[in-house]
Amino acid sequence: MFETVDHIGIATADIGQALETLGKTGPLTLGKEEVIESFGVKAVMVSAGSVPIEFVEPLGDDSGVAKFLKKRGEGVHHIAYRVADIDAALETLRSQGFRLIDEKPREGYGRSRVAFVHPKSFLGVLTELVERELGKDVPPYDPA
Ligand code: CO
């Protein structure tokens, strides 16, 4: 079902600061900073070889990411796996007894369709499924 790790999500209190930190390693290739209303976050994707890093920063105090930061501090927040057909993937996980946070896909970063699986049913890791736009296998990056 999983084609590859699509990205690794890191929760940060300040995307600008996070980019500054990562930028010390060299020039960064970035996607656009996007506000993802349905998750109450802003996010930016950073190219890092074959697996991008997604920085997510909460917009307010009541998003899942805000609660994560309060409880655990900054750090790895989720691992996202790419699937070809997210509706079929959700159906499979549901039928196998996984606890879904999203019963239906939501809009994610870069016109993707995403859904989250509860960490309690997935090895303690918040798990995201990502279906990218047809024919695209990376998130959109702005040309530098
Ligand atoms: Co993500």
Side-chain angles (χ1 to χ4, degrees), residues 1-3 39 81-94 100 102-108 112-117 127-132:
M1 177 165 77
F2 295 157
E3 298 188 326
F39 292 104
Y81 298 93
R82 192 178 315 140
V83 297
D85 179 342
I86 196 168
D87 300 293
L90 280 173
E91 195 44 55
T92 299
L93 292 177
R94 188 179 297 117
L100 305 180
D102 299 303
E103 291 293 330
K104 288 194 174 123
R106 296 195 246 180
E107 191 177 337
S112 58
R113 296 170 73 217
V114 306
F116 280 87
V117 184
T127 297
E128 179 181 14
L129 308 178
V130 180
E131 180 190 301
R132 296 227 158 266

Side-chain angles (χ1 to χ4, degrees), residues 39 64-65 67-68 71-72 76-79 81 93 97-102 106 115-129:
F39 292 104
V65 176
K67 287 175 194 147
F68 179 93
K71 207 167 139 191
R72 315 254 299 256
V76 173
H77 177 257
H78 63 273
I79 293 181
Y81 298 93
L93 292 177
F98 287 92
R99 184 167 150 199
L100 305 180
I101 293 173
D102 299 303
R106 296 195 246 180
F116 280 87
V117 184
H118 200 284
K120 284 223 162 82
S121 74
F122 212 106
L123 307 164
V125 180
L126 178 61
T127 297
E128 179 181 14
L129 308 178

